[in-house]
Amino acid sequence: MSFEIVKKDLTNWQNRKEWFFNREFTDTYEQWYEGPYKRAEVWQKKVIEQLVKKDSRINTLLEFGCGTTRFTRWWNQIGIEASGGDISPFMLSQAVHLFKGDLVMADSHFMPFKDHTFDAVAFITTFEYYRDPVRVIREAARVGKHGIVFGMMNRNSPKVARRRIQQAFGKNPFYVTATFYTPNHLISVIDEALKGREYSIEWTCTGLPKWFPVQQWSVPYGDFFGLYVKLL
């Protein structure tokens, strides 16, 4: 595929500027994960794997907001056949060189797939940027037959205050348009989106300080939480 037709000054999505439409940030995304975010990534993958592998029905998965396929590549490592979707041509221009599976450039509010194409749909640190989260969840429940996976930046974290202070001084542009959720806040949105459906929910938190005696728990505090919706 060729992405040369995309203008370098493209910065908007949903009528607002987004960091993942800015090559200043997308070109260095992979390096950031290999640097200061590496330890956090290890624990995020641990909690997501624990939640998803409990549902033996999940063999295929679509990750929307896959970015450079950092997590999409990992799903295959734990025995799940993954495909990726993203709205950012700059992210996908890297993904096509890093990921051997299927990729689609599309908006998660309008997933270009038939009903029950995949066993599950996943959102890893991307759901925070959607303007109509109810619609996105309904689309995920339509395309994913058995479950929906969420990896979320937690509002119950001291890092949220630090990020907002940085933004006030013109620093840290990555979360300007993000909505930070708590587990209960996300569950209330899920309940609205899936009204009339039968499902169960399980979640766990991580992203705790390195010196803390535990790195994962069932208390809604920490920089990250994983949540799995099991469709019944």
Side-chain angles (χ1 to χ4, degrees):
M1 296 179 64
S2 175
F3 292 88
E4 284 80 8
I5 61 173
V6 179
K7 296 180 179 179
K8 286 188 176 181
D9 60 356
L10 176 66
T11 56
N12 284 13
W13 180 56
Q14 300 180 136
N15 296 316
R16 63 190 186 189
K17 288 186 183 243
E18 298 286 8
W19 69 266
F20 44 85
F21 266 60
N22 187 328
R23 285 196 58 182
E24 179 185 351
F25 307 119
T26 60
D27 284 357
T28 58
Y29 185 77
E30 282 285 324
Q31 292 94 307
W32 187 68
Y33 259 108
E34 286 297 336
Y37 206 63
K38 189 65 178 178
R39 176 178 168 272
E41 180 190 27
V42 169
W43 276 99
Q44 289 172 9
K45 288 177 176 177
K46 281 183 180 181
V47 300
I48 294 294
E49 181 179 6
Q50 290 170 15
L51 292 169
V52 177
K53 295 299 280 186
K54 288 181 181 180
D55 191 344
S56 60
R57 304 172 300 168
I58 306 304
N59 297 301
T60 62
L61 178 144
L62 170 68
E63 183 185 341
F64 236 102
C66 68
T68 60
T69 66
R70 188 75 193 185
F71 269 75
T72 322
R73 285 169 264 156
W74 168 77
W75 292 111
N76 294 312
Q77 295 176 20
I78 62 171
I80 297 175
E81 182 183 346
S83 300
D86 203 286
I87 194 66
S88 169
F90 302 129
M91 288 292 207
L92 289 175
S93 66
Q94 298 180 66
V96 295
H97 299 289
L98 297 169
F99 181 60
K100 296 180 180 179
D102 293 330
L103 295 167
V104 61
M105 186 163 67
D107 188 332
S108 53
H109 297 79
F110 309 93
M111 295 184 186
F113 296 98
K114 295 179 180 179
D115 295 358
H116 298 170
T117 300
F118 301 91
D119 293 331
V121 174
F123 305 99
I124 308 298
T125 63
T126 187
F127 191 81
E128 296 85 346
Y129 296 95
Y130 297 140
R131 276 193 163 176
D132 191 347
V134 169
R135 183 185 182 99
V136 173
I137 292 172
R138 287 173 179 165
E139 276 289 89
R142 179 185 66 80
V143 174
K145 184 176 183 180
H146 299 306
I148 309 174
V149 187
F150 296 89
M152 304 288 293
M153 295 177 282
N154 192 1
R155 193 171 69 201
N156 290 335
S157 167
K159 290 184 179 181
V160 172
R162 185 185 70 187
R163 290 165 185 159
R164 296 308 188 201
I165 292 171
Q166 289 172 336
Q167 289 168 21
F169 288 93
K171 305 292 184 181
N172 198 340
F174 301 103
Y175 308 105
V176 173
T177 58
T179 298
F180 292 102
Y181 291 82
T182 65
N184 283 340
H185 180 194
L186 180 59
I187 289 171
S188 69
V189 177
I190 293 168
D191 289 342
E192 179 184 352
L194 300 183
K195 189 174 182 179
R197 294 286 301 267
E198 290 188 23
Y199 55 92
S200 62
I201 291 176
E202 185 178 356
W203 60 267
T204 184
C205 278
T206 185
L208 296 151
K210 190 175 183 179
W211 51 263
F212 204 68
V214 296
Q215 291 300 306
Q216 176 187 347
W217 59 0
S218 298
V219 179
Y221 296 96
D223 195 43
F224 180 91
F225 68 89
L227 185 147
Y228 182 61
V229 181
K230 184 176 183 179
L231 300 172
L232 305 174

